[in-house]
Amino acid sequence: AGDNNEFAAIKAAWFKLGQLEFTTTVEQSYLSTYSEVNYKPAVGYASNDNIAVAWEDYGVWVKTGVLSFSTNQVTWNNNIGIDNNNYSNINPTIAAYKITPGTATFHLAWQNNYSTIRYCNLTEQSKGSFLVSAVDQVSQGCGFPVNYYLSINVSNSNTVKLVWKEKPYYSHNYKK
């Protein structure tokens, strides 16, 4: 719990050839006396030095930006609330399609409560502007009602691989 002067922040550090180049603040928020923040951030690095950071804060949020090693800074865009800022959305994971030159595409997945795994992508339309696709419930009809611990990857051909754990009940030890 914090007092009236405490903030929680997501920080990012950039390295080049194993050496720290710079750090920056991605997001910060005020902590009330009765709150705490566990952002669970994830980062993706795409073509043309585009980056995206996804995190959980009463819903899943994404912030995109352009990285510059020549100026040691990131030019950040506005936060994007994903899936109507649904408070039940937690544990984001992100992967970036890396083809240069090319259009930056970020693939985002997250957990909705413990029942479904959801997915969307963010595709660059113009510098600093990303189109967010429709949200898919990818775990629907996969067998078990409890779905969590997800991870995402994307190939050089922009094929997305998404894995997660399923169980018949949250407290049950059976694993699929």
Side-chain angles (χ1 to χ4, degrees):
D3 62 23
N4 290 337
N5 297 317
E6 290 188 12
F7 286 86
I10 299 172
K11 295 291 219 178
W14 275 266
F15 294 83
K16 190 174 183 181
L17 301 173
Q19 298 295 316
L20 176 64
E21 292 287 312
F22 66 97
T23 62
T24 184
T25 299
V26 179
E27 180 66 18
Q28 69 180 22
S29 66
Y30 170 75
L31 290 177
S32 71
T33 304
Y34 302 104
S35 70
E36 62 181 63
V37 174
N38 186 355
Y39 286 125
K40 301 177 188 168
V43 65
Y45 178 74
S47 56
N48 303 323
D49 290 326
N50 280 283
I51 62 167
V53 177
W55 70 92
E56 166 190 331
D57 186 15
Y58 299 104
V60 170
W61 296 85
V62 175
K63 183 178 264 188
T64 60
V66 178
L67 171 64
S68 171
F69 279 112
S70 64
T71 62
N72 283 346
Q73 67 181 11
V74 176
T75 303
W76 291 110
N77 301 310
N78 293 328
N79 295 350
I80 302 168
I82 302 297
D83 196 18
N84 297 316
N85 303 329
N86 185 329
Y87 281 24
S88 299
N89 292 335
I90 57 175
N91 299 326
T93 183
I94 195 166
Y97 179 49
K98 299 173 185 73
I99 187 157
T100 304
T103 301
T105 302
F106 297 100
H107 297 276
L108 177 69
W110 63 95
Q111 176 182 325
N112 179 262
N113 283 324
Y114 285 93
S115 59
T116 59
I117 303 299
R118 295 183 177 180
Y119 163 86
C120 73
N121 65 57
L122 294 86
T123 304
E124 186 177 34
Q125 300 300 294
S126 61
K127 192 161 184 80
S129 174
F130 284 81
L131 175 67
V132 180
S133 72
V135 172
D136 289 322
Q137 291 193 49
V138 296
S139 64
Q140 190 167 357
C142 288
F144 288 138
V146 178
N147 300 276
Y148 57 108
Y149 293 146
L150 61 152
S151 182
I152 195 168
N153 197 354
V154 61
S155 71
N156 289 340
S157 63
N158 205 20
T159 301
V160 176
K161 306 286 195 280
L162 182 60
V163 297
W164 66 91
K165 180 178 177 178
E166 292 184 321
K167 290 179 14 175
Y169 302 101
Y170 185 67
S171 61
H172 197 277
N173 289 329
Y174 182 83
K175 298 174 186 164
K176 184 175 181 183

